[in-house]
Amino acid sequence: MSSRSGSRPTASKAPRSPCMPRSPPRRDCSRASTKVLGPTSRGERPPGPTSSSLPRVTSHPPPILTPSSDSHGRNSIISATEIISYETSKSFFLDNLPMRDDWRTHLAAGCTAGFAATVLGSPADVLGTKAMQKHGRYAGLTATQIARKMLRNEGVLSFYKGFWPNFCRIGSFNIAMWVFFEEIKSRFAF
């Protein structure tokens, strides 16, 4: 074969090392893909509507709506803590303090449950917030790496930043939830 003058020789790609991982293909999940169904290569029609001009829309949920194991872990910690601490504190208040089984006891037990859930759930909340950073000193690190770095640089109390606003949110929810739950339970005799 003759080479043309002035043309560049094509560079051949270096062979990929078997140790180098391939990066997964990127998907754009923000848009739905549209594919028009038509006859297959054998001339068969696909099942469904008879018109081959109907578009088939397939979409994937945006990544922000896809649950992750981190959020499942945090939700499990908080839910289990709320239920166990509510029942434990309610039975403690009824057995050891001169309290009746009324809304005051449910309010106190709900507040205790909210406090316990905030104490155990705050580290997961703080780690989740740090893990979502796109820029800064925690960007691109795993939850374990972030926890080690926070513990080394800032101490144990860094896991409880924003504790009181978080307690106001979780505590008020628990108070309302348990008071209404006990009222509904007593009215409908569950």
Side-chain angles (χ1 to χ4, degrees):
M1 297 194 107
S2 65
S3 65
R4 294 183 187 164
S5 62
S7 66
R8 288 188 208 156
T10 57
S12 64
K13 289 186 177 180
R16 181 179 287 276
S17 167
C19 297
M20 290 180 55
R22 288 186 166 222
S23 60
R26 299 185 112 201
R27 292 189 319 188
D28 183 12
C29 296
S30 62
R31 286 189 239 150
S33 62
T34 305
K35 182 167 65 170
V36 176
L37 293 175
T40 61
S41 61
R42 296 184 198 135
E44 303 163 351
R45 293 186 75 63
T50 57
S51 174
S52 64
S53 63
L54 292 175
R56 178 180 175 190
V57 177
T58 59
S59 64
H60 303 283
I64 196 160
L65 300 178
T66 308
S68 69
S69 61
D70 296 335
S71 64
H72 287 278
R74 179 233 180 241
N75 293 341
S76 299
I77 290 169
I78 289 186
S79 296
T81 305
E82 287 170 347
I83 295 168
I84 293 169
S85 61
Y86 175 78
E87 291 297 328
T88 304
S89 60
K90 179 182 165 189
S91 64
F92 175 81
F93 293 151
L94 292 175
D95 294 342
N96 299 325
L97 298 175
M99 296 179 87
R100 296 187 320 251
D101 191 6
D102 62 354
W103 67 270
R104 292 173 195 90
T105 305
H106 305 151
L107 186 129
C111 188
T112 305
F115 185 80
T118 307
V119 167
L120 291 179
S122 277
D125 285 336
V126 171
L127 283 175
T129 302
K130 302 268 188 198
M132 287 187 271
Q133 287 182 353
K134 298 287 183 196
H135 306 287
R137 63 180 139 172
Y138 299 110
L141 299 177
T142 64
T144 308
Q145 292 169 334
I146 293 171
R148 285 182 184 151
K149 193 171 183 178
M150 284 175 60
L151 191 60
R152 188 176 342 111
N153 296 340
E154 302 169 39
V156 175
L157 291 179
S158 66
F159 291 99
Y160 293 96
K161 287 183 179 179
F163 178 82
W164 291 111
N166 200 14
F167 171 67
C168 289
R169 181 179 61 84
I170 293 176
S172 61
F173 166 75
N174 271 280
I175 290 169
M177 178 179 71
W178 291 114
V179 168
F180 285 122
F181 171 76
E182 293 288 350
E183 279 299 311
I184 290 170
K185 188 171 90 171
S186 67
R187 304 247 178 187
F188 296 106
F190 285 117

